[in-house]
Amino acid sequence: MRMPDRPRVALIQHRDARDVRTWSGTVHFAKGAVERHVGDVVDLSPVPVKMLPFRVARRLVLEATGKEYSYDHEPLLARYYGHLFSRRIARARPDLVFAPAASSSVAYLETDVPVVYYADSTWRVIRGYYPNYTNVVERSDRAAEEMERRTLAKAAASLFASDWAADSAVRDYGADPARVHTVFIGANLPDPPRREDVLPRRLGNRVRLLFVGVLWETKGGEIAFAALLHLLALGIDAELTVVGCTPPPHVRHPRLRVVRFLNKQVPEQRREFERLWTGADFFILPSRCECAGVVYCEAAAYGLPSLATRTGGVPSLVREGRNGFTLPPEAGGEAYAERIARVVEDPRGYEALCESSRDEFEARLNWDAWGERVRTIVAKLGIG
């Protein structure tokens, strides 16, 4: 039974919000945070569309033109999503619409219900930044720009996971700064560790690096491996564990361990995932492009300092000297190794860095902090 003082929140997303894989789990965790802190969620996802024809079209366009066709920004689909969700919202009669990663669902929406939109980027900042959004066909480019513009104009509040994305909404699309907010993403962990279970951390005889990513090249795997080699060359006993992908054949070393994939929904694999985080000394992910990076929040949850690239939305998540360090995009493995070596030379400083990493998780990089921030923003809309 719904409490009378809690607003009714309709969640719209063309993918299934019940699927923990949607937007790498972020929709699932955001939905839970809204339920705990904002109001009663009515999940109106997904949209009954078979995507296979659009995936085939993408492949054919790439083969024929060498350009990318983004069916996530297909105007015919967006208009259909808008029409369908307009009807579903009218039937649900909510007080608020929550639209995570759903510009294609909001752009052509027809409703008087206030919309809160959440994303980790705008089209302008990811076009030409991510490989799959580089060299796109004109139809996709035009449609994406139009959807972004319409969504930001329609939303009563636009929330972004970083200052990088929020600044673009204002700068590139003329969004009202009073309606644009940075609300940091949280750690997508079903059961985050307790502080006392991960701290204090102390360095041992061997420096243990952890790399978690699905795309070796995009996530900077070569740089992480080069950092391992340089640490060894400096005389620092080190090892690197890679989780989630398989490095190319030339990347081999006795101090390199590869764990191809761990499914956090499988209890045994989740426990192994937790052991890897707990057993590491540093998290290293020198991504070439990154909108937000939930894994930096997960590292902070385990009190693990991050070594990351100063790109995209990363500087909003990895605060210098608080939960890690960011290096410029041109930095190679040697620079990462030297940054790690400086920390290793100061064991007490390392322990303090681990403490402040966990502080960052508890203060702002968790989904309850996200939910409380969203509740405040929603209240200013006169809802709740």
Side-chain angles (χ1 to χ4, degrees):
M1 181 176 178
R2 185 168 71 97
M3 298 294 291
D5 58 338
R6 279 172 61 84
R8 185 176 174 86
V9 183
L11 185 152
I12 63 171
Q13 229 288 342
H14 67 279
R15 298 181 179 87
D16 192 348
R18 300 166 187 83
D19 188 338
V20 295
R21 297 169 297 180
T22 300
W23 197 17
S24 301
T26 298
V27 171
H28 169 79
F29 284 94
K31 174 184 172 182
V34 170
E35 184 75 49
R36 291 191 301 275
H37 296 281
V38 180
D40 298 323
V41 176
V42 181
D43 191 343
L44 303 184
S45 73
V47 174
V49 173
K50 294 186 182 301
M51 301 306 296
L52 180 59
F54 296 96
R55 296 191 184 101
V56 171
R58 178 179 181 271
R59 179 175 57 81
L60 294 176
V61 169
L62 184 62
E63 290 175 355
T65 68
K67 293 188 174 186
E68 292 282 351
Y69 160 63
S70 174
Y71 53 80
D72 283 338
H73 300 101
E74 169 53 48
L76 294 177
L77 283 175
R79 291 179 184 277
Y80 174 63
Y81 297 160
H83 177 68
L84 183 71
F85 281 126
S86 295
R87 288 188 296 157
R88 288 182 178 179
I89 290 168
R91 288 197 297 269
R93 301 177 65 184
D95 303 299
L96 182 73
V97 173
F98 175 54
S103 62
S104 60
S105 298
V106 175
Y108 296 97
L109 198 64
E110 294 183 3
T111 181
D112 293 328
V113 179
V115 175
V116 172
Y117 171 62
Y118 185 54
D120 62 2
S121 70
T122 68
W123 174 248
R124 199 72 62 86
V125 293
I126 63 171
R127 181 182 62 188
Y129 181 59
Y130 275 84
N132 56 318
Y133 294 135
T134 299
N135 195 29
V136 297
V137 295
E138 187 178 351
R139 177 184 179 87
S140 294
D141 190 16
R142 285 200 317 268
E145 278 286 296
E146 177 67 8
M147 287 180 205
E148 198 76 60
R149 184 188 63 77
R150 293 177 66 97
T151 296
L152 291 171
K154 190 179 297 290
S158 295
L159 320 180
F160 291 96
S162 71
D163 293 334
W164 172 71
D167 290 347
S168 172
V170 176
R171 179 188 65 244
D172 299 324
Y173 295 94
D176 181 352
R179 295 163 62 182
V180 174
H181 311 270
T182 298
V183 185
F184 303 114
I185 212 160
N188 289 351
L189 299 171
D191 187 20
R194 298 177 303 173
R195 187 184 184 96
E196 58 267 29
D197 291 336
V198 296
L199 295 175
R201 280 184 175 274
R202 294 184 176 89
L203 290 167
N205 294 327
R206 176 174 292 182
V207 175
R208 301 161 299 179
L209 309 180
L210 179 64
F211 173 101
V212 180
V214 176
L215 302 173
W216 174 257
E217 291 186 4
T218 303
K219 297 297 182 180
E222 293 287 346
I223 297 173
F225 181 60
L228 167 68
L229 298 181
H230 193 71
L231 283 171
L232 295 171
L234 291 173
I236 297 174
D237 190 2
E239 67 181 27
L240 172 64
T241 299
V242 171
V243 181
C245 62
T246 302
H250 72 273
V251 178
R252 295 290 181 271
H253 196 277
R255 295 293 175 81
L256 173 67
R257 178 191 176 196
V258 178
V259 181
R260 294 182 63 179
F261 178 76
L262 291 173
N263 185 345
K264 287 182 283 187
Q265 306 309 309
V266 178
E268 183 178 346
Q269 294 185 37
R270 184 174 68 249
R271 286 191 291 271
E272 175 62 14
F273 180 81
E274 293 167 351
R275 283 193 293 268
L276 290 171
W277 282 110
T278 303
D281 298 312
F282 293 93
F283 177 62
I284 182 169
L285 196 72
S287 298
R288 304 296 82 200
C289 46
E290 194 80 72
C291 287
V294 167
V295 283
Y296 302 116
C297 306
E298 294 174 354
Y302 283 91
L304 200 61
S306 294
L307 280 300
T309 311
R310 200 174 302 132
T311 186
V314 175
S316 284
L317 300 180
V318 181
R319 287 184 170 169
E320 208 71 10
R322 287 289 302 168
N323 59 319
F325 302 95
T326 59
L327 283 76
E330 62 272 16
E334 181 175 346
Y336 279 84
E338 291 175 352
R339 176 70 266 189
I340 293 168
R342 289 200 294 275
V343 177
V344 170
E345 289 170 357
D346 179 12
R348 289 189 177 179
Y350 171 77
E351 293 172 24
L353 180 61
C354 294
E355 294 279 351
S356 60
S357 293
R358 176 68 190 201
D359 291 343
E360 289 295 299
F361 166 73
E362 293 176 1
R364 65 187 185 93
L365 300 180
N366 69 82
W367 283 108
D368 284 322
W370 182 95
E372 290 169 2
R373 174 91 168 105
V374 173
R375 179 178 60 195
T376 299
I377 293 168
V378 168
K380 289 180 178 179
L381 299 177
I383 300 169

